[in-house]
Structure formats: C-alpha cells, structure tokens
Amino acid sequence: MEKYVSSMTCADFIVSTPDYFRFNPADEFITPEQIEEIAANTKASLSGTGYTVRKPAYLWMTEDALRQNYARYESAEQLDSHMSRMEHRGNMVMGDSRIEALDNSLFDKLQVFDGDISPMLKPDNNAIAIAVSLDDYGNLPNPEYYPEVGDTITATYADDVKYIDSRTGELCTEDTPEEYLQAKLYGARDVEYTVCALVELPYSMGYRYGGSGYDAVLSVDTAQRDSGGATTPMLYLFDTADEADEAEAEQYLSVLTAGEFSPLMYESKATARSEFAQFRQMFLLIGGILCAIIGLVGLLNFFNAMMTGILSRRHEFAVLQAVGMTNRQLKTMLIYEGLFYAMSSVAVAFILSLAVGPLAGKMLGSMFWFFEYQFTVLPVLLTIPVFLLLGLLIPCMMYDNAAKCSVVEQLRDAQ
C-alpha cells in the first residue's frame, strides 16, 4: 500500500484551489493568507509552498532534443514546420518550459537522479535542477534528452508574449493558419543557470501537466530575483508527526473545503489509502471467486479420484476379506491410502506454488508497478485440514456403504 500511496502523493496533505487540481489555468491559486490560516490550525512536522512563475519563462534546449520530444506526436513534415516557427539561436531553440520554485524545506521531497541539489540552498545561487520523467520502476528511459549536470542552460523571462502572423508581422487573428503563428516576446531578458542536478519532481507537487520543453526547479529566492518578483504560491503541503495530528488535520481540512463552491481543495494520504483499499477489494473479490471455483473443482476431482479408485477395487477388497482380512484392517488400509493421497496433493500444491508463484508475481509486477510478490505458506497450510478430512471421510463412507453387503454378494457384484 505504501508504495502506491507514496506515488500518488508525496505529502500527508496538499492544499490548493480547484483550478490547480483540475488542471485549469489561473493567475492565482492559494493565497499567503490562506496558507497562514492552515498552518495556524494544523500541526506540521514539515511544511512548505510550491510557487509558479506568472510571467512567460522559457528554457533553451538543443533542436535535436526538442525534435525527439515532438516526434512522438507529429510527422516529419509537421515537425519541420513547427521548428521553423520557433525562436532559434544557432542549434538551440526556445522550449515551452515549466519552472517551479520551492521553499527550501521542500527540496527533501525531490528524488535526486544525478548530481547534487545543495547548491540551490545557498543564497544568491544560479543553480537549477532539471526535472526528469522516470518510468514506474525508477528508470530514466531517454537520458540523452536532458542536459548533463554541470551544463549551462539559458532561461528567458518575458513580461508578455504575443503571437504574430509571420507573413505580415502583425498580431495574429482567429483566421491565421497555425503554420504562420510565431511567438514574440516583450521585455525579454536572459538568465544563465548551472544545472546542478537531475531530479524527479513528484507529480503531486508539480504543475500536473506536461509540455514540449524542460521542467525545472529553482529555489524561491532565485526565482523571485530572476523573474522580477513574478512568483506566486501554487500549492501548500505539509506532513504531520503522528496519526493523531494527521487525523486532526484531515478533519480540519474536510470542514475548511466543504461545499461545492469552496475556494480550496486538498489531497491527503488518507484519500490515497482509501482509493487503494477499494482497488484491493476489487482484486480480493475477483481473485477470491476465481480461487473458490478452482478450489471447488480441485476438491471434486480429489473426491472423484478417491471414490473411483475404491469402487474399481471392490473385487480386490472382497478377495482380501475372503482370505482372512478383517473389516477393521481393510478400513484402516483405506484410511491410510486416503491420507497418503491427501498429503501427496498438498505436497504437489506446495511445490507448484514455489515454482509458479515467482513467475506469476513477476508477470503481475510488470502489469501493476505497485505490486510486490511475497510468498506465503498460509493458503497451503489451510488446505491441509480440508484434504486430511476428505482423505479420512471418503474411505470411511465408501467402506461403510460396501460393508452392508456380505463378502459373497460383493464378489458376485464385482463380477
């Protein structure tokens, strides 16, 4: 469960506006006053704010890297047309980037893939971390797409951006064809940063949408300085020290965000745990039904095999009784045979579980990234009493039914 929960949310609580959680663009999200109110009414062991840069901000990247990204969505002809409309500086193009600023306390939430984020914590730094997209198993599928640690990367901040018609140089209209749209920046200024690390920025504390360029992380002081004070709070997150504080915070936020028109929404680990519990219940229900059906078929086959074996040997049993075997001895022999079959079935089931279990676990792990295989002997142990009981009862029932007839009648029936 914790693997699933930690992937769904990186903090006990994340609070922002409905626009943030519903991916709607907005000029303002949660306000400093709302953050202060939440902080005053909750007990946080760690807390911080994530900020968005309100002004247009772009990171320059190689054309080959941007082409690699766009190639997933566009044909070669569309890609060439797209590249021709973008701002170029030699082999560099201006990518549509998302820069997020973090309070220093939130850098602990970043997973460092390469490099070191400590330079970002120093005052007056020019360090930047590039957010990478890892797969569900923590691997970086396209490392050549990203800059290397130690590289210098240029960011362009602008006061405004307008789209013009490249044919006329005038502002575009609704009728301007897409291939002639070209961005024009006003009040643009460049800032050079040193890439100090490649990090995984948790989805739950990022912008929650992607784009064609790099995602990057700055310290809030650096972003405020370089953007001309254009940072604004986007989300507030915090962790609690224990379950009691978590329950109090959950209750407070549920009241604070109640109502259809509440200006705030929140996500919590309790919500993620509830989602996982429902997901697990579905698997338990479906898996339980399938196991019950397979188990019933197995028990019927076991019952049928033992019953057929006893019925097919009626002549043998009658002969044994005719030469002196007592009823007690015959019944004991059948019981031992039944118990032998029962324990053999359990042993085979245990061996098959050891052999097939890891293969099935690996297959499910490839389908569900949060699945972890763990062998347990409990189901095998639970089947032992059932099979022992069947191995005891079936011979007794079959023998008692046959014992109602004399040896002579059994020999005659067998013939």
Side-chain angles (χ1 to χ4, degrees):
M1 175 185 288
E2 290 307 314
K3 188 176 181 180
Y4 175 87
V5 171
S6 62
S7 176
M8 292 296 103
T9 179
C10 63
D12 289 348
F13 298 93
I14 300 176
V15 190
S16 189
T17 60
D19 285 332
Y20 171 74
F21 291 108
R22 294 169 183 167
F23 322 114
N24 295 327
D27 293 330
E28 245 186 26
F29 294 98
I30 189 170
T31 65
E33 292 76 21
Q34 290 169 328
I35 293 175
E36 290 178 6
E37 179 184 351
I38 295 171
N41 288 276
T42 55
K43 300 174 183 176
S45 59
L46 181 148
S47 63
T49 303
Y51 302 82
T52 180
V53 178
R54 287 179 297 178
K55 291 183 178 180
Y58 306 90
L59 291 174
W60 291 81
M61 56 195 301
T62 64
E63 183 174 335
D64 289 341
L66 194 56
R67 279 180 175 273
Q68 176 185 336
N69 196 12
Y70 273 115
R72 296 178 294 174
Y73 317 106
E74 299 181 351
S75 65
E77 183 179 346
Q78 291 174 323
L79 190 54
D80 289 338
S81 174
H82 197 154
M83 289 295 120
S84 67
R85 301 195 305 270
M86 301 190 73
E87 189 77 21
H88 283 71
R89 293 179 182 173
N91 69 331
M92 307 295 287
V93 292
M94 190 172 65
D96 180 19
S97 305
R98 290 146 304 283
I99 298 178
E100 182 174 357
L102 299 177
D103 284 339
N104 287 354
S105 58
L106 297 190
F107 281 98
D108 290 338
K109 298 290 184 180
L110 302 178
Q111 177 186 339
V112 179
F113 183 80
D114 188 19
D116 181 17
I117 60 174
S118 59
M120 303 177 69
L121 304 177
K122 299 177 181 178
D124 297 325
N125 70 81
N126 270 68
I128 190 171
I130 301 298
V132 299
S133 296
L134 304 181
D135 61 22
D136 292 332
Y137 305 95
N139 302 314
L140 184 62
N142 53 339
E144 69 282 353
Y145 172 72
Y146 300 99
E148 296 183 356
V149 173
D151 287 352
T152 298
I153 190 169
T154 301
T156 297
Y157 295 91
D159 296 329
D160 196 8
V161 58
K162 301 289 186 182
Y163 286 91
I164 62 173
D165 189 325
S166 60
R167 298 170 298 179
T168 63
E170 303 293 332
L171 291 177
C172 65
T173 64
E174 294 180 356
D175 299 326
T176 304
E178 183 181 358
E179 60 266 24
Y180 297 112
L181 295 179
Q182 190 170 20
K184 183 176 182 180
L185 305 183
Y186 295 86
R189 58 194 176 279
D190 291 344
V191 179
E192 289 191 345
Y193 297 107
T194 300
V195 178
C196 66
L198 302 181
V199 301
E200 182 183 25
L201 176 66
Y203 169 84
S204 55
M205 62 180 278
Y207 279 92
R208 300 190 177 220
Y209 61 85
S212 58
Y214 295 139
D215 290 346
V217 179
L218 293 172
S219 68
V220 63
D221 293 335
T222 301
Q224 187 80 347
R225 177 197 69 197
D226 296 337
S227 67
T231 58
T232 186
M234 181 171 64
L235 60 93
Y236 174 68
L237 65 82
F238 64 96
D239 292 330
T240 52
D242 51 45
E243 293 182 359
D245 292 344
E246 183 179 354
E248 289 181 10
E250 184 81 32
Q251 183 177 7
Y252 167 74
L253 290 176
S254 63
V255 173
L256 180 66
T257 59
E260 183 179 355
F261 301 103
S262 171
L264 295 176
M265 285 181 65
Y266 78 97
E267 285 181 352
S268 67
K269 284 188 176 179
T271 306
R273 293 189 191 103
S274 176
E275 292 175 354
F276 182 81
Q278 295 175 3
F279 192 65
R280 183 171 58 182
Q281 282 297 111
M282 178 189 70
F283 272 87
L284 289 176
L285 177 62
I286 297 175
I289 293 175
L290 291 176
C291 289
I293 294 173
I294 295 172
L296 180 61
V297 171
L299 289 176
L300 291 176
N301 283 336
F302 179 76
F303 178 85
N304 181 65
M306 289 199 62
M307 185 176 66
T308 302
I310 293 174
L311 290 175
S312 64
R313 297 163 60 197
R314 284 183 302 169
H315 182 268
E316 176 187 340
F317 297 154
V319 171
L320 289 174
Q321 286 182 300
V323 298
M325 178 176 277
T326 65
N327 291 339
R328 181 182 181 87
Q329 290 174 328
L330 181 58
K331 189 173 185 179
T332 301
M333 182 190 74
L334 293 176
I335 289 175
Y336 281 149
E337 284 186 2
L339 295 178
F340 174 77
Y341 289 146
M343 293 308 298
S344 298
S345 300
V346 172
V348 170
F350 180 71
I351 293 172
L352 287 176
S353 298
L354 290 176
V356 178
L359 298 177
K362 185 177 181 180
M363 180 185 69
L364 289 173
S366 64
M367 296 170 58
F368 306 102
W369 52 266
F370 53 85
F371 179 86
E372 291 183 356
Y373 172 73
Q374 181 178 357
F375 177 76
T376 173
V377 75
L378 181 61
V380 178
L381 295 178
L382 291 177
T383 61
I384 292 178
V386 177
F387 277 86
L388 288 179
L389 187 61
L390 289 174
L392 178 67
L393 291 179
I394 293 175
C396 291
M397 292 170 55
M398 297 302 299
Y399 176 79
D400 291 340
N401 183 62
K404 295 177 182 179
C405 302
S406 66
V407 174
V408 175
E409 291 175 334
Q410 292 180 48
L411 288 171
R412 187 186 303 116
D413 292 341
Q415 292 175 352

